[in-house]
């Protein structure tokens, strides 16, 4: 068992709703180095030899198992880059809980770039949950630039649930998904909250290469203060396929939100739909909550939390 200090444990609790209890397969990275890790009978974690990161091998016998791979940064001025590859055998069913929390108490910027690749075999199901969180009294920025690459074979299902839950000054998310197998399915939910002068950008390319492949992409965001957001999903249909993109945003104060859904049909039987909406909080909802005894700020928070959830 690793000796986890109080600050690290606090950040872990923020980014992992299950709590980091070192149960099941896990790998905890802190300030650029692996602090501890553990395997299970069906899930093996191997340190890369050519660069920073790990390879995670998930057996077909893994059914309903969990993998926890949190990252915590507590050193101001640290620039951490890590490459994690997940190899999922045909028929496996696994939940992977990731995310990064930065506690910056200094004046220098702290940054984490996590490059994750998922190779998902036939009929396998993967749920990948990723949360980003920043905190600390320092003036240095908290920067997170995740890269996610997903490759799906026949009948594979990938559920991607990402959330930026507060305190991150700058983030640029890059996501690439290739649905290469027949009947492969992708389901994406992205949730984002920015405030003050924070900046967040998300670029996503989803390529549907196989017959009867499908993708559902939903983005929900709230922008406060003078923060800026850009969401640019692109669905490319190259076979008989279905894809739906939905972007909904609440804008407040002096914030700026850009939603740029893009669809590209390269096959006569590709059916792709996009929707986008940006607006303020509904006055009628605010009024109704105020009549229940909430003040304006409390009512706004209730609406925002329900919108993001």
């Amino acid at each position: 068992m690793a000796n986890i200090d109080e600050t690290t444990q606090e950040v872990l609790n923020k980014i992992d709703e299950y709590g980091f209890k070192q149960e099941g397969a896990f790998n905890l990275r802190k300030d650029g180095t692996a602090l501890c890790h553990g395997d299970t009978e069906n899930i093996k974690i191997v340190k890369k030899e050519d660069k920073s990161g790990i390879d995670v091998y998930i057996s077909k016998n893994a059914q309903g198992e969990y993998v926890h791979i949190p990252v915590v940064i507590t050193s101001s001025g640290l620039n951490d880059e890590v490459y994690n590859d997940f190899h999922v055998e045909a028929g496996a069913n696994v939940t992977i809980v990731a995310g990064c929390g930065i506690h910056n108490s200094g004046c220098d910027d702290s940054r984490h770039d996590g490059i994750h690749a998922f190779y998902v075999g036939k009929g396998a199901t993967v749920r990948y949950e990723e949360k980003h969180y920043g905190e600390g009294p320092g003036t240095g920025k908290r920067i997170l630039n995740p890269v996610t690459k997903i490759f799906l074979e026949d009948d594979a299902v990938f559920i991607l649930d990402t959330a930026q839950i507060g305190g991150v000054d700058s983030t640029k998310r890059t996501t690439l998904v290739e649905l290469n197998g027949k009947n492969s399915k992708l389901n994406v939910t992205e949730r984002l909250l920015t405030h003050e002068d924070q900046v967040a950008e998300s670029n996503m390319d989803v390529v549907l290469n196989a017959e009867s492949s499908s993708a559902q992409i939903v983005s929900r965001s709230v922008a406060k203060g003078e923060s800026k957001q850009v969401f640019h999903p692109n669905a490319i249909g190259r076979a008989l396929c279905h894809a739906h993109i939905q972007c909904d945003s609440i804008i407040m104060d002096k914030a700026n939100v850009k939603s740029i859904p893009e669809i590209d049909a390269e096959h006569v039987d590709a059916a792709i739909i996009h929707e986008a909406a940006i607006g303020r909080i509904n006055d009628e909802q605010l009024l109704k909550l105020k009549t229940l005894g909430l003040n304006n700020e409390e009512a706004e928070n209730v609406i925002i939390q329900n919108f993001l959830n």
Side-chain angles (χ1 to χ4, degrees):
M1 296 285 285
N3 184 18
I4 301 176
D5 61 85
E6 184 176 344
T7 299
T8 301
Q9 187 63 60
E10 178 185 341
V11 176
L12 285 170
N13 292 339
K14 291 287 187 180
I15 62 176
D16 188 345
E17 65 181 296
Y18 301 100
F20 184 71
K21 302 181 178 67
Q22 295 176 302
E23 296 175 354
F26 65 87
N27 187 85
L28 170 58
R29 183 179 178 87
K30 180 185 177 185
D31 291 336
T33 59
L35 184 62
C36 58
H37 96 273
D39 298 336
T40 68
E41 181 179 353
N42 300 316
I43 302 172
K44 308 301 179 184
I45 299 174
V46 180
K47 181 180 179 181
K48 288 185 180 294
E49 296 183 357
D50 58 339
K51 54 188 172 183
S52 178
I54 55 175
D55 284 287
V56 182
Y57 296 94
I58 300 170
S59 164
K60 62 183 179 182
N61 296 320
Q63 299 295 320
E65 294 192 37
Y66 282 80
V67 184
H68 294 257
I69 54 164
V71 172
V72 176
I73 294 178
T74 60
S75 297
S76 185
L78 180 66
N79 189 349
D80 182 35
E81 185 176 75
V82 63
Y83 295 80
N84 296 331
D85 293 339
F86 300 82
H87 310 270
V88 185
E89 286 190 355
N93 188 323
V94 66
T95 296
I96 301 168
V97 182
C100 179
I102 298 179
H103 180 94
N104 193 346
S105 299
C107 58
D108 297 318
D109 295 348
S110 295
R111 172 175 167 172
H112 174 73
D113 294 351
I115 299 93
H116 292 175
F118 300 84
Y119 305 92
V120 185
K122 294 181 180 180
T125 298
V126 175
R127 179 177 179 86
Y128 177 53
E129 301 178 5
E130 183 178 78
K131 293 184 179 180
H132 288 163
Y133 173 73
E135 65 174 24
T139 57
K141 293 185 179 299
R142 293 159 286 271
I143 302 170
L144 291 163
N145 295 325
V147 177
T148 305
K149 300 177 182 179
I150 302 165
F151 307 94
L152 304 181
E153 296 184 15
D154 292 354
D155 299 305
V157 177
F158 199 98
I159 302 165
L160 174 60
D161 188 341
T162 70
Q164 185 168 304
I165 56 179
V168 179
D169 296 295
S170 174
T171 184
K172 185 173 183 179
R173 177 183 294 277
T174 302
T175 306
L176 169 65
V177 185
E178 293 186 5
L179 292 95
N180 296 320
K182 291 182 179 180
N183 300 309
S184 54
K185 293 179 174 60
L186 171 72
N187 191 313
V188 177
T189 302
E190 183 173 85
R191 290 167 289 162
L192 174 65
L193 172 64
T194 56
H195 54 87
E196 298 177 351
D197 61 348
Q198 295 173 352
V199 178
E201 179 179 348
S202 178
N203 297 295
M204 183 181 301
D205 287 325
V206 176
V207 186
L208 298 101
N209 289 317
E211 180 180 347
S212 299
S213 57
S214 62
Q216 175 77 24
I217 302 163
V218 178
S219 171
R220 289 182 174 270
S221 71
V222 176
K224 295 181 174 183
E226 298 183 358
S227 64
K228 295 181 180 180
Q229 298 180 4
V230 178
F231 183 56
H232 183 192
N234 182 18
I236 304 166
R238 294 177 176 167
L240 188 159
C241 61
H242 296 83
H244 181 229
I245 300 172
Q246 180 180 336
C247 311
D248 295 322
S249 299
I250 291 176
I251 185 170
M252 302 173 67
D253 308 318
K254 297 181 180 180
N256 175 246
V257 179
K258 292 182 181 179
S259 185
I260 316 168
E262 182 177 352
I263 57 178
D264 181 358
E266 299 180 5
H267 190 281
V268 68
D269 292 319
I272 310 176
I273 301 170
H274 76 72
E275 302 175 67
I278 302 172
R280 58 179 293 174
I281 290 178
N282 187 288
D283 289 336
E284 292 183 3
Q285 290 180 322
L286 278 174
L287 181 59
K288 184 176 181 179
L289 289 170
K290 286 182 179 180
T291 61
L292 298 176
L294 277 65
N295 61 36
N296 194 74
E297 183 178 356
E298 291 170 337
E300 285 183 348
N301 287 335
V302 169
I303 292 170
I304 289 170
Q305 291 304 315
N306 281 278
F307 176 76
L308 291 176
N309 291 331

